[in-house]
Amino acid sequence: MKDLYNFVASFVLLAGLSLPAAACAPSHRQTQSSILLTGPKTISATFPAASNAGNLIIAQITWDRQTRTLASVVDSKGNDYHLIGAETNWGTKYRSALYYAYNIDADASKIKVTATLNNNTTALFEIYISEYSNVLTTSDPLDKNKTATGTGTAINTGSVTTTAGNELVWGIAVGEDQAIHGGTGYNVRSTDQDNIVEDKTASTAGSFNASFTAVSSTNWVAQVATFKPLVTLPVTLISFDARTLSNKTVELDWTTTAETSSAWFEIQHSGDGQTWTAIGRTNAAANTQTSQQYSYTDPAPYAGFTWYRLKQVDQDDNFTFSKTLTTHRDQAVTLHVYPNPTVGSCVVEGATQPATVFNTAGQRMAVRVNTDSRSKQTLDLSTLPKGAYFIKTGDNSTLVYKQ
């Protein structure tokens, strides 16, 4: 188990950390789709070109059996996909869902996105995937979303109000049996199956909707989601490290190479990687082109795992977050996990509360949990990509590795 702790610490610390030096509006890279009419359980679409690390992928999936639900959405690089809203029934037999993955891992290969249902469709199964660059990477970029269903020729998602300038506004309309055209002011990225994928960049924050027109009356579903752009901040952060000291405190050290109009760093910690608390503040150097070193000691880290991040604020109150670090210290209650590593399910013994699973970025993962007894639970990790995951129950946590 100690080797696994070291693995996660190395993974997080070497993940890379650089606050953006310039702002760019989100940019469309590529869109692809796949349609199957044979009643399958699984569908995949592969981008025509290699993707870039740090980008955003949006995936919309539609199938024709409302009693079926998605079991997983994954890709060939093991990126984490998040459901936007909920799966939506429309018409008399169709069901749709919208997912996204941000700050993706990528290499020279072409990413394949795969969606799997809990059972076969009747006939139709389709997926649309889009990739965008210059989308916020240091925290979740999703801002607003909305889904609408109806019957007719005028198709509209309804309005959402964005919170930042230069947001990506992404929309899709899927009809039952009629061709659909895109809305005014949008870039149409796909017309496959006579459905529409469209987008635009909203230069200022405001109210937006995705609109479409069907050539004749039809049942339809329309979805819109907006994503925040890369944030411009005048700090180059080249390192951020955390280490547990002998007195059970945690020392945080970070270094910048250049700062322009920087104001301060807020230090935050979390016991689950999701709920964050400010624990300290350190003034920044304001304006400098020389290396600056900073340090802060957390006197009260959580038992088990503690997540850390920096909130860097400039003199105009703009801010962004660093990537997270994770540390571990001994806890009063010991959790036993077996088998570990695992290829599917694992058993957790010593749990006094329901167990939850997080990836190393602090994102909660959707897994099935069965309670076998008062202190014994079985977790189904079969749908998760390979890698290290934290299991948390109450104030206690431990690590499991999925092969």
Side-chain angles (χ1 to χ4, degrees), residues 36-226:
L36 296 176
L37 301 173
T38 55
K41 181 179 178 181
T42 298
I43 190 169
S44 297
T46 302
F47 282 118
S51 297
N52 288 342
N55 283 357
L56 169 78
I57 294 177
I58 306 170
Q60 199 271 6
I61 305 104
T62 293
W63 60 100
D64 68 353
R65 199 165 186 174
Q66 293 180 348
T67 58
R68 303 300 188 236
T69 60
L70 280 167
S72 66
V73 177
V74 299
D75 70 27
S76 54
K77 291 302 297 177
N79 292 301
D80 294 326
Y81 283 79
H82 312 278
L83 176 65
I84 300 177
E87 295 182 3
T88 301
N89 291 335
W90 58 280
T92 59
K93 61 182 180 180
Y94 297 101
R95 190 174 178 92
S96 294
L98 188 60
Y99 280 77
Y100 71 107
Y102 69 94
N103 194 18
I104 62 169
D105 289 329
D107 54 24
S109 62
K110 300 173 183 178
I111 289 181
K112 178 170 73 173
V113 181
T114 300
T116 302
L117 295 170
N118 62 348
N119 212 325
N120 292 65
T121 64
T122 300
L124 175 71
F125 202 1
E126 59 188 19
I127 182 172
Y128 297 85
I129 56 175
S130 296
E131 180 187 354
Y132 293 85
S133 61
N134 299 327
V135 175
L136 185 65
T137 60
T138 53
S139 60
D140 191 339
L142 179 65
D143 188 13
K144 304 295 182 180
N145 69 91
K146 201 163 193 177
T147 297
T149 63
T151 303
T153 58
I155 302 172
N156 197 298
T157 61
S159 296
V160 295
T161 301
T162 60
T163 60
N166 276 340
E167 287 200 18
L168 168 67
V169 183
W170 187 93
I172 187 169
V174 178
E176 182 171 9
D177 54 11
Q178 298 294 327
I180 296 174
H181 299 295
T184 302
Y186 279 84
N187 304 298
V188 173
R189 303 303 184 183
S190 175
T191 59
D192 203 4
Q193 286 292 101
D194 289 327
N195 300 316
I196 294 293
V197 174
E198 64 182 24
D199 65 46
K200 69 178 179 180
T201 299
S203 59
T204 59
S207 179
F208 300 93
N209 63 75
S211 60
F212 313 82
T213 304
V215 297
S216 297
S217 182
T218 188
N219 293 321
W220 52 263
V221 63
Q223 297 176 282
V224 64
T226 72

Side-chain angles (χ1 to χ4, degrees), residues 233-249:
L233 285 174
V235 169
T236 302
L237 188 63
I238 62 169
S239 69
F240 180 31
D241 302 296
R243 60 193 181 99
T244 302
L245 303 179
S246 58
N247 62 357
K248 296 186 178 180
T249 62

